[in-house]
């Protein structure tokens, strides 16, 4: 067995990246923390209460401070805040989401969309949990297309009056709403004297200190969910709810006493997407905790596969550990390689987020590239989580189905990650739009006008239309340059083809929506292969930073497995486009098998390197 | 819209096949039945109690009679029994599984493995639920390799003495054990005077009428599970539990008073697999109810996608229904086509089961072909269920995550279908072994010896080694002959390649396990493509039976979508093996898109044709 040769902690160093110290501190904090992560026998209300207690523990540990402005007792460490969510992802995901709602979405909205008056009044109470709150954007009728949500906020005589015109405009799935929230950041269409100014955010009290609904506010409970039942998701309806002028979170737009509207951003749509962009941290955090849950499921499944034996080896009495079977290796090891790859991409994303959000004057393009990358990595990482946790469950057989063995809650809790903070399909489309427009416009705008302009080719970056030269397949399966070229070339080719396709169709008299829609599979592919290229580059860069020779060798092979299993699953495209010959494609498949066998003795080391606090792994799985 | 042209009931006739009458009766019975299918807010104990009440309702409706021998008050309708499980699959799956445990596994074991004395004594009480029982085969340490389970039954002086040697030999995940079961069919290694006779089944009382454990029997509770929490899965340990000689279910082997063992089947291993084969109905039933759950999830998702709108169409005020998006069609419609295909294959499987189990002298080969097909369709149908219900959840967004909208329980309940009644990976391997040996041996035997003999080529059917001629790709995408040839040729080619690979490797001095294991991905592929060919043929045959011209046209296009989406997802293989050229492969992809657009207006009709009782579809999803 070669496993003994590689030190898991050397791998942990590479995984932790520039946050070694913070991650060590948080791991220690989690070990022996009073935060409990057993909840499968609790009723919904008991689980909510347990998570609330967990929130208090986090406050005592000064956890929320990381992400907030030092002027109000915070530490102003954007990176640290996101990394800490990632670490919470190793525990009860209800607690992670509840913390995300309170300090990420609600607190984040106050911090990023509000101004001094809001910061002074609210931030300390938000951090201390004195003021539990909600982020009330999604409506029953508008989830992806939030620009067209229908709650209204009419300015009248120094106040805003909020209304829910009908049931499809009720706020829905709102975390903290059903039980704990006292104030909600409500997104509503601003109306001043009959003129519309687009979506703005307002601080709206929804409950008093005794927990009674405020006048004009109706609160419903979303009830039992597939998972995350420690989070009290609810519904909100507003009927002539009056809030003062100062309730508007006015960083991007303000209303003066006499009803004059002012904003640095003239265009309503651009202003709204700028506001959304300021909230990008949520998506980054979801991608991170999806990664943590994936790592936890793989750790459980690999441990199980090392100890669980089934069927005797011919000529011997000993039964064969599951992980010795090629089919089992194929279930777990490529997923493990992809999990490493996404972890490194996530590290880069966090660094980019930090740099952008702490820069004195971040460039518009930088912000858009960040938004695009956050959207794409969120989509790919959460789909990977759903698929991998499912595989881990199946790989643990009947034992994987028992609640005490944790996989059921990992699966149920993460399921909605592909939906919340942006539906994955919509997010990948957004990535493609960014690429097509070279980030020159509000590519986050998925409105008909934006689509029509895109289809008309006005926004398509001309550089995209150059078709790259054909990448000649090289026979060396481990040639990293070939890997990088292969992924970069695929991205270029897919994008160029898409750009030409949209331009050609635009010159016909087809409906612009139909043109775009007919190409939707092509659009989504463009988003996906772009992200896969970035993820590979992040993996390659991380391996280069590894100082330990044995660990580095292991990571090189793991990176090979990531690339080649990705090529394998998309080899139809490579074959169709002359990037692989049939014999070479078959060699890719054989090489994935070979790498699985090669990495199998290191599987336990590779999951140990995640350094998940042991108390989060106590099961009967082995 | 062309949807109006096709009558859903004409499609229902084709789906119902030869069981129209029975299915209509069961649908009527379900509509307005007292069986409740809302349980997401129940505690485990309350859900178990509700399911128990549901069992009583089924008894009152004379439901269990279908599957049992007329001599004991049954109807002896094997087909009807399996179809009725399929219909139960539209309701609370806990009830389906509980019924399956009581009347399928437990009652089925008594009927199929026992003899008159057991039938007379037990069957009426089993049907009436007077005697709730368990099927205690799986142990913590042996799930797939049940031939090597380790519970012992030693014959001594007219009794069998059962023991659990250690914790890994405890019976695990046993339905009906934690709460209701009073007797268990216990599978144990028979030992007579120190000689081993392999696994046999014994009727072992585990609880008295007051619910107390019997002396020497320890009962544990598996506790909360991912789903199916209305079923009381438990664990059993035996310590010197003595049962009389008559407790042996002695159809396939008996022990006389003086301890003489007799059996019509000499070989222990062959006898055991013959016993397992007699229990094939369970796998067939699981495949059927997986199909029902899949149909229910697609019905919910298609209805939602018709009513839910998101984003405005350029130049119009109306928002676009989700199902107008190509990406959404691609999520749901190929899955819908595959669901139809599997339904038709399931109908054929049920007919084959009925014919085999009611034949006076079923041939050995027929029995093995049935077992193989049941294994393969169970594997493919349950994986399809897991993937499709997941997709349906995501396609319904946040609403799909709410328990009241049913998808969470459909997902959680069906998750273990890929594991129980045989792990899918093991089952597909079994299918491949049947093909390789042309069903000449106990191909269900996955033991080292059987594997070694297979690898040594002694069992490989020589006809397999002929490589078929290359199928020339035809340009007509809807050419059914081409489709059938393509699937048959792929199966032949994969099998022939595998046979040659195993023979070649066998002539080396490699360890037989390693030879087989190195080819495991090839083995699993062989099993899968065999089943896909059978499924296509079943679809084609069903379409031919459709008398209504409009319905038939629609089914032809749906069949096209099934074939072409299956070709699309495996087109790398077709390209690698010269069955598709790159331009043709691209045309397949384009044709799948075209078919999605073509079938989109019929989506609602196609799900309505499942004719799921409306009360099983009441949600907020639309």
């Amino acid at each position: 067995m070669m496993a003994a040769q590689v030190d898991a902690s050397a791998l942990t160093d590479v995984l932790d990246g520039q946050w070694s110290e913070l991650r060590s501190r948080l791991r220690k904090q989690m070990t022996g923390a009073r935060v409990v992560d057993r909840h499968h026998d609790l009723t919904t209300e008991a689980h909510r209460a347990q998570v609330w207690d967990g929130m208090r523990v986090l406050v005592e540990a000064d956890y929320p401070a990381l992400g907030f402005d030092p002027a109000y007792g915070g530490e102003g460490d954007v990176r640290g805040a996101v990394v800490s969510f990632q670490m919470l992802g190793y525990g009860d995901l209800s607690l992670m989401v509840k913390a995300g709602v309170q300090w990420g979405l609600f607190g984040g909205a106050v911090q990023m969309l509000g101004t001094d008056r809001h910061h002074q009044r609210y931030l300390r109470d938000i951090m201390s949990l004195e003021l539990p709150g909600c982020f009330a954007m999604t409506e029953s009728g508008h989830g992806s297309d939030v620009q067209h949500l229908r709650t209204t906020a009419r300015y009248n005589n120094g106040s805003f009056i909020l209304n829910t015109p009908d049931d499809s405009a009720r706020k829905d799935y709102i975390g903290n709403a059903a039980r704990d929230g006292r104030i909600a950041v409500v997104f509503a269409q601003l109306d001043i004297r009959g003129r519309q100014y687009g979506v703005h955010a307002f601080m709206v009290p929804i409950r008093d200190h005794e927990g009674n609904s405020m006048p004009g506010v109706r609160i419903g409970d979303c009830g039992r969910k597939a998972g995350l039942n420690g989070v009290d998701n609810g519904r909100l309806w507003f009927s002539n709810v009056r809030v003062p002028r100062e309730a508007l979170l006015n960083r991007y737009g303000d209303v003066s006493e006499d009803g004059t509207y002012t904003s640095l951003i003239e265009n309503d749509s651009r202003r709204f997407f700028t506001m959304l962009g300021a909230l990008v941290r949520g998506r980054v955090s979801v991608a991170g905790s999806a990664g943590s849950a994936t790592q936890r499921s793989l750790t459980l499944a690999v441990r199980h596969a090392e100890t669980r034996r089934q069927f005797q080896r011919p000529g011997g009495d000993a039964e064969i550990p599951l992980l010795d079977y090629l089919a089992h290796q194929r279930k777990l090891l490529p997923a493990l390689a992809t999990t490493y790859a996404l972890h490194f991409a996530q590290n880069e994303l966090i660094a980019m987020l930090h740099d952008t959000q702490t820069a004195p004057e971040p460039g518009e393009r930088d912000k858009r590239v960040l938004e695009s990358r956050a959207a794409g990595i969120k989509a790919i990482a959460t789909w990977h989580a759903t698929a991998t946790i499912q595989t881990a469950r199946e790989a643990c057989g009947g034992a994987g189905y028992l609640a005490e063995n944790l996989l059921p809650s990992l699966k149920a809790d993460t399921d909605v990650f592909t939906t919340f903070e942006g539906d994955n399909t919509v997010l990948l489309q957004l990535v493609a739009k960014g690429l097509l427009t070279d980030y020159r416009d509000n590519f986050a705008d998925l409105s008909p006008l934006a689509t029509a302009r895109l289809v008309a080719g006005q926004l398509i970056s001309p550089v995209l239309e150059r078709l790259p030269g054909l990448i000649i397949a090289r026979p060396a399966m481990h040639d990293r340059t070939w890997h990088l070229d292969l992924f970069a070339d695929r991205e270029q080719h897919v994008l160029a083809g898409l750009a030409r396709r949209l331009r050609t169709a635009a010159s016909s008299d087809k409906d612009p929506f139909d043109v775009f829609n007919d190409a939707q599979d092509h659009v989504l592919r463009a988003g996906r292969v772009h992200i896969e290229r970035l993820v590979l580059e992040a993996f390659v860069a991380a391996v280069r930073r590894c100082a330990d020779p044995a660990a580095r060798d292991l990571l090189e092979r793991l990176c090979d497995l990531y690339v080649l299993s990705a090529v394998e699953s998309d080899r139809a495209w490579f074959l169709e486009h002359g990037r692989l010959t049939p014999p070479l494609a078959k060699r890719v498949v054989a090489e994935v098998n070979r790498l699985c066998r090669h990495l199998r003795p290191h599987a336990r080391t590779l999951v140990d390197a995640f350094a998940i606090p042991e108390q989060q792994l106590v099961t009967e799985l082995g």
Side-chain angles (χ1 to χ4, degrees), chain A:
Chain A
M1 299 282 269
M2 304 163 65
Q5 296 170 1
V6 181
D7 183 4
S9 69
L11 296 169
T12 306
D13 285 344
V14 188
L15 287 163
D16 282 358
Q18 48 183 302
W19 304 284
S20 279
E21 206 181 328
L22 175 66
R23 282 189 165 128
S24 296
R25 176 157 68 85
L26 290 167
R27 274 187 198 109
K28 282 203 195 94
Q29 213 167 291
M30 283 182 88
T31 307
R34 285 187 291 120
V35 179
V36 189
D37 177 23
R38 296 291 159 142
H39 50 78
H40 54 263
D41 265 330
L42 299 181
T43 61
T44 302
E45 281 313 310
H47 191 189
R48 288 174 176 182
Q50 178 175 293
V51 166
W52 179 257
D53 291 344
M55 292 287 283
R56 292 242 167 259
V57 174
L58 293 179
V59 170
E60 284 166 39
D62 218 19
Y63 168 96
L66 272 170
F68 287 95
D69 194 329
Y72 307 98
E75 295 179 28
D77 182 359
V78 177
R79 272 181 288 223
V82 176
V83 168
S84 67
F85 274 107
Q86 207 170 347
M87 297 298 295
L88 279 185
Y90 291 136
D92 180 0
L93 292 164
S94 284
L95 180 60
M96 186 281 292
V97 169
K98 184 93 172 176
V101 167
Q102 172 68 14
W103 297 305
L105 291 175
F106 171 57
V110 173
Q111 178 161 289
M112 304 302 285
L113 307 182
T115 52
D116 274 355
R117 67 180 186 225
H118 306 106
H119 300 165
Q120 285 186 18
R121 182 165 170 192
Y122 297 117
L123 286 184
R124 286 179 196 277
D125 287 352
I126 290 173
M127 281 186 267
S128 71
L129 214 51
E130 265 307 294
L131 182 67
C134 312
F135 180 86
M137 181 184 280
T138 298
E139 296 176 358
S140 300
H142 287 89
S144 295
D145 184 11
V146 280
Q147 194 180 4
H148 292 96
L149 55 81
R150 292 174 48 251
T151 301
T152 56
R154 189 165 51 80
Y155 185 71
N156 177 273
N157 246 338
S159 305
F160 296 101
I161 301 158
L162 281 95
N163 274 291
T164 303
D166 56 54
D167 266 1
S168 83
R170 70 181 181 196
K171 297 294 176 183
D172 208 350
Y173 319 116
I174 309 301
N176 254 352
R179 180 187 187 265
D180 296 321
R182 285 202 294 107
I183 215 165
V185 172
V186 176
F187 291 81
Q189 301 287 354
L190 173 60
D191 173 314
I192 308 175
R193 295 186 207 100
R195 192 184 145 183
Q196 308 299 318
Y197 292 85
V199 175
H200 288 69
F202 304 85
M203 298 292 282
V204 182
I206 59 167
R207 269 192 192 87
D208 63 20
H209 276 84
E210 278 76 52
N212 307 305
S213 304
M214 299 296 282
V217 177
R218 180 150 67 97
I219 304 180
D221 194 321
C222 290
R224 193 83 187 163
K225 305 183 295 288
L228 297 177
N229 282 300
V231 184
D232 53 322
N233 294 86
R235 293 165 178 150
L236 300 170
W237 291 258
F238 304 99
S239 174
N240 290 318
V241 174
R242 188 177 285 265
V243 295
R245 192 173 64 89
E246 293 73 26
L248 173 66
L249 294 176
N250 60 337
R251 176 164 169 191
Y252 293 101
D254 205 356
V255 179
S256 69
E257 188 63 40
D258 69 353
T260 307
Y261 183 80
T262 50
S263 170
L264 291 172
I265 307 171
E266 190 100 5
N267 179 285
D268 289 351
S269 176
R270 181 180 295 268
R271 184 187 320 114
F272 177 64
F273 289 110
T274 304
M275 287 166 62
L276 281 190
L279 305 173
V280 67
R281 213 186 282 183
R283 270 178 202 158
V284 178
S285 296
V286 168
S289 37
S292 301
T294 310
Q295 293 171 11
R296 199 171 172 208
S297 75
L298 282 171
T299 304
L300 294 169
V302 166
R303 287 181 179 203
H304 183 69
E306 286 276 22
T307 53
R308 170 85 173 170
R309 291 162 179 271
Q310 208 71 180
F311 297 108
Q312 286 173 359
R313 206 177 179 91
D317 263 357
E319 290 174 307
I320 299 159
L322 293 188
L323 203 49
D324 281 0
Y325 291 98
L326 175 64
H328 215 80
Q329 293 162 12
R330 273 198 161 262
K331 283 178 192 172
L332 299 179
L333 300 184
L336 182 56
T338 305
T339 304
Y340 265 72
L342 285 167
H343 185 93
F344 295 130
Q346 175 72 10
N347 282 354
E348 287 195 358
L349 178 63
I350 296 171
M352 187 187 261
L353 171 76
H354 186 91
D355 292 348
T356 308
Q357 293 204 336
T358 56
E361 296 264 342
E364 282 304 307
R365 193 175 192 283
D366 288 349
K367 286 198 279 186
R368 287 180 193 147
V369 170
L370 169 67
E371 288 162 37
S372 163
R373 193 169 295 195
I377 289 182
K378 185 271 185 186
I380 301 298
T382 56
W383 268 326
H384 176 66
T386 297
T388 303
I389 298 170
Q390 177 64 37
T391 301
R393 200 299 290 157
E394 291 180 30
C396 293
Y401 198 62
L402 302 186
E404 62 175 340
N405 292 333
L406 300 175
L407 288 162
S409 56
L410 279 170
K411 201 174 109 122
D413 290 343
T414 54
D415 181 11
V416 78
F417 287 18
T418 56
T419 298
F420 70 13
E421 285 284 334
D423 174 86
N424 281 0
T425 300
V426 175
L427 293 183
L428 270 193
Q429 192 161 306
L430 188 150
V431 171
K433 281 195 163 182
L435 294 168
L436 285 167
T437 60
D438 197 27
Y439 308 101
R440 284 177 308 161
D441 200 69
N442 284 319
F443 66 89
D445 182 0
L446 298 165
S447 72
L449 186 63
T451 303
R453 285 170 68 204
L454 187 64
V455 167
Q458 295 168 24
L459 292 173
I460 292 178
S461 173
V463 294
L464 287 181
E465 290 181 76
R466 272 184 290 119
L467 264 185
L470 190 69
I471 287 293
I472 302 300
R474 275 164 250 173
M477 284 283 145
H478 299 247
D479 180 340
R480 194 71 72 222
T481 311
W482 177 52
H483 300 158
L484 291 163
D485 286 354
L486 202 62
F487 275 39
D489 160 73
R490 178 179 56 166
E491 178 184 353
Q492 278 297 313
H493 189 91
V494 169
L495 259 177
L498 178 59
R500 278 179 305 130
R501 186 170 167 185
L502 292 178
R503 264 205 212 276
T504 309
S507 60
S508 75
D509 56 358
K510 279 180 83 173
D511 181 282
F513 171 77
D514 290 337
V515 169
F516 196 75
N517 196 40
D518 286 351
Q520 200 180 13
D521 57 335
H522 200 156
V523 169
L524 296 174
R525 159 171 281 280
R528 176 178 286 276
V529 298
H530 170 68
I531 298 297
E532 281 192 5
R533 195 256 302 164
L534 293 176
V535 170
L536 173 59
E537 289 176 358
F539 202 151
V540 172
V543 175
R544 286 193 185 133
R545 283 192 299 272
C546 177
D548 181 287
R552 187 173 161 150
D553 273 3
L554 181 57
L555 287 173
E556 291 282 12
R557 294 295 78 74
L558 195 67
C559 187
D560 289 340
L561 182 58
Y562 167 65
V563 184
L564 294 176
S565 60
V567 172
E568 182 189 41
S569 63
D570 200 24
R571 68 193 197 282
W573 187 90
F574 289 107
L575 283 159
E576 283 163 358
H577 295 83
R579 267 65 181 172
L580 285 181
T581 59
L584 206 52
K586 289 181 186 174
R587 276 195 55 204
V588 169
V589 178
E591 188 60 25
V592 169
N593 284 350
R594 213 192 59 77
L595 282 165
C596 281
R597 280 193 299 274
H598 177 80
L599 289 166
R600 183 258 170 273
H602 303 279
R604 178 66 197 252
T605 308
L606 286 164
V607 296
D608 284 349
F610 295 136
I612 300 172
E614 192 59 32
Q615 66 180 27
Q616 304 305 128
L617 299 167
V618 179
T619 67
E620 277 213 341
L621 291 172

